[in-house]
């Protein structure tokens, strides 16, 4: 395979774009790990105060006093109000899956995408070989074995290299035309 060839360089860039096409993103990646740990730390003073804020029922007892209509009563005493268990109505903590965002293929390499789709319809084995050659980082022996497993047949390293070279020559001829 020619290394200084513009087609090979474009195919390498296309393979890199294919491998890195889907960028993973999470909404909460900007939160530092220590901030998460602090929220889950058991029995710290911060955590105790955080849990007690707004959970002592004072607002409810003030509302009851205002509704009672007794002059001078600002808050109902604790013994006059039945305790109500507060439940957390927020969603339970769960690990959201990462979202795959398609960043696409650069415009100057889209012709390779179309050529690969056309090649896949006409010569699926050759298309699989070219795709594997430029998207997988391994030796050609391993790549040939991967193609053979995916295609469901036998493929020697010699056949792999021959089919790859035939396809690259054909694509090079298409560029020259």
């Amino acid at each position: 395979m020619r290394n200084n060839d513009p087609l090979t360089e474009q195919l390498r860039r296309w393979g890199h774009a294919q491998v890195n096409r889907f960028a993973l993103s999470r909404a909460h990646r900007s939160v530092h790990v220590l901030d998460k740990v602090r929220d889950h730390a058991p029995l710290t003073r911060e955590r105790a105060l955080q849990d007690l804020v707004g959970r002592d029922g004072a607002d409810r007892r003030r509302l009851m006093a205002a509704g009672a209509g007794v002059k001078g009563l600002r808050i109902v005493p604790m013994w006059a109000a039945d305790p109500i268990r507060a439940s957390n109505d927020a969603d339970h903590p769960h690990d959201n899956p990462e979202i795959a965002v398609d960043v696409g293929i650069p415009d100057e390499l889209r012709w390779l995408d179309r050529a690969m789709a056309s090649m896949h319809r006409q010569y699926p084995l050759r298309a699989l070989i070219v795709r594997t050659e430029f998207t997988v980082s391994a030796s050609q022996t391993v790549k040939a074995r991967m193609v053979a497993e995916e295609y469901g047949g036998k493929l020697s390293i010699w056949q792999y290299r021959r089919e790859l070279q035939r396809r690259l020559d054909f694509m090079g001829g298409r560029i020259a035309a």
Side-chain angles (χ1 to χ4, degrees), residues 86 133 148:
E133 178 66 26

Side-chain angles (χ1 to χ4, degrees), residues 1 11 14 112 115-135 143-144 147-148 150-152 154-155 158-171 174:
M1 187 164 50
L11 280 166
W14 173 82
L112 282 168
M116 289 297 292
S118 173
M119 184 191 323
H120 186 70
R121 287 189 296 273
Q122 296 172 3
Y123 307 103
L125 179 62
R126 288 182 187 167
L128 189 57
I129 287 172
V130 172
R131 183 175 299 277
T132 304
E133 178 66 26
F134 292 101
T135 58
K143 291 176 188 178
V147 169
E150 191 169 337
Y151 192 67
K154 292 195 175 215
L155 185 70
W158 179 81
Q159 289 171 317
Y160 176 88
R161 289 178 179 158
R162 183 171 174 258
E163 291 294 326
L164 177 63
Q165 193 57 51
R166 287 178 75 185
R167 189 33 74 186
L168 291 178
D169 289 342
F170 178 77
M171 290 176 84
R174 287 183 91 180

Side-chain angles (χ1 to χ4, degrees), residues 87 107 151:
S87 64
D107 291 337
Y151 192 67

Side-chain angles (χ1 to χ4, degrees), residues 34-118:
L34 291 178
D35 292 335
K36 290 181 185 179
V37 170
R38 225 178 269 128
D39 290 340
H40 298 292
L43 301 175
T44 60
R45 180 174 285 183
E46 290 175 7
R47 180 75 191 264
L49 290 174
Q50 179 184 358
D51 288 345
L52 287 177
V53 172
R55 298 283 185 180
D56 63 350
D59 291 334
R60 182 172 161 267
R61 290 187 291 130
R62 278 192 200 93
L63 185 65
M64 289 174 67
V70 178
K71 198 168 197 145
L73 184 65
R74 293 188 322 176
I75 190 165
V76 173
M78 289 284 277
W79 57 265
D82 290 334
I84 295 178
R85 297 275 307 151
S87 64
N88 186 359
D89 60 349
D91 193 13
H92 297 289
H94 54 282
D95 198 13
N96 290 332
E98 291 192 359
I99 301 167
V101 179
D102 187 358
V103 294
I105 301 294
D107 291 337
E108 68 271 8
L109 300 176
R110 293 226 175 139
W111 73 272
L112 282 168
D113 238 6
R114 289 189 300 272
M116 289 297 292
S118 173

